[in-house]
Amino acid sequence: MGNGSRESLVIDNTVDGLFRVNRRVFTDPSILEWERERVFERCWIYAGHESEIPHAGDFRARNVAGRPVILVRGSDGQVRVLLNTCTHRGSLVCWQPSGNARSFQCPYHAWTFSNQGELIGVPGEEAYSAAFDRQELALAVAPRVESYRGFVFMSFNPSMEGLVEYLAGAREYLDLVCDQSEVGMEIVGGTHLYSMRANWKLLVENSIDGYHAPITHQRYFEFLVEMGVDSARIRRTGAGRSLGNGHAVIESAPAPGGRPIASWAPMFGEATKAELAAIQRKFEDRFGPERAYRITQTNRNLLVFPNLIINDIMAITVRTFFPRAPDYMEISAWALAPIDERPEHRAMRLDNFLTFLGPGGFATPDDVEMLEACQRGFANREVAWSDISRGMTREHPLTNDDLQMRAFWRRWHELITVPEGIEAPLQPTVAI
Ligand code: FES
Ligand SMILES: [Fe+2]
């Protein structure tokens, strides 16, 4: 399969306002191979949050972009991404999902590595020749690791531009999330691990798809009204934006399900009303009314290309996922919250999180069902194209248009089609 067929995967007709994606991108194993090489091996990929490893020796072993890695804070305090494979014969050296360790001992022949990756123990080392070099046999590390305000990314592309440059316009939206606390944000303990029999890019689309919300999640909006939410808040307005390099966002206000930071909703109870109003005033003093409104009252669903979603809505979820097969992905999701939140406030936030975003919430099971249904539908290969044209001729695309998805697809297509050996240049924001 040559580049010619890659080029026919996306139709981007800005003259007539038609944007189509060939459904082969969701089913063809050779496309997944290209994605591994050209997307997951080249971009900055979210590995975890610094708050998950606050103390020296803390670690999280997880799969990132299909690789077993250890996100670890070494005894020297530095955050590293160690590649979880023994330099002896390959076994995983860290088998526990999380913990605190000064060293990792491989269970196969008991080679031992420090939490900074150095090889510090080899049983019967005298049997090796003088050429045996412990330093050379340290655990490998991801070639690039950088963090932005606690969000740790790694890249297997040594010539990748810096993370801040890569984040482009997405940085402003990460700031709107991070500015919700003066002392910092933290991942709340516990991970939602789940899977879907669907292509990973369907979850990218779905996570920034305002069009489906009132349809697929109709019951949630009915629930809100039953709880006493003013139905005018449900007809919210907002915009979809391309943020450069494939990143995109939908942003809208007011927040119908409330925002535990400082946007009150009836589910939070009358007693919290005054507290949230006081918090709002503090934000206004700190940031001025306009920025405070954006931070506290505005919902945003942010995609950091290719596979990090931050839904800062009725609670904040950090979600990332990776394909195991064209029709199967594994998803990890966490709740993010201000470190300095009072326990009662935290409980209210987590309740709001679980109501919509949790594994048994109003959203997640229905979204899983929809995406798996799309994947099943793709068996009808005669229907070759999916449509992503909505709002393409509108001057100011809305949250229920598809501009944000087109931003993703254009970058994806560019990375898939760029000639071998050439770095795809940074991509500016797109207006349609
Ligand atoms: S494979 Fe790890 S010690 Fe042999
Ligand atoms: Fe959804």
Side-chain angles (χ1 to χ4, degrees), residues 12 240-244 403 406-408 410 427-432:
D12 186 359
R241 289 196 187 93
S242 154
L243 303 172
L403 170 103
R406 291 191 287 275
F408 167 81
R410 284 182 177 126
Q427 198 183 44
T429 60
V430 280
I432 56 172

Side-chain angles (χ1 to χ4, degrees), residues 86 88-91 106 108-111:
C86 184
H88 181 222
R89 302 270 184 79
S91 168
C106 178
Y108 198 4
H109 313 87
W111 282 24

Side-chain angles (χ1 to χ4, degrees), residues 206 209 212-213 216-217 356 363 367:
N206 173 263
D209 179 346
H212 84 291
T216 306
H217 308 309
F356 191 73
D367 283 325

Side-chain angles (χ1 to χ4, degrees), residues 47-69:
H49 196 271
E50 285 174 9
S51 66
E52 294 178 274
I53 46 167
H55 309 295
D58 285 351
F59 69 86
R60 302 275 173 167
R62 53 179 52 149
N63 271 292
V64 179
R67 292 153 173 277
V69 302

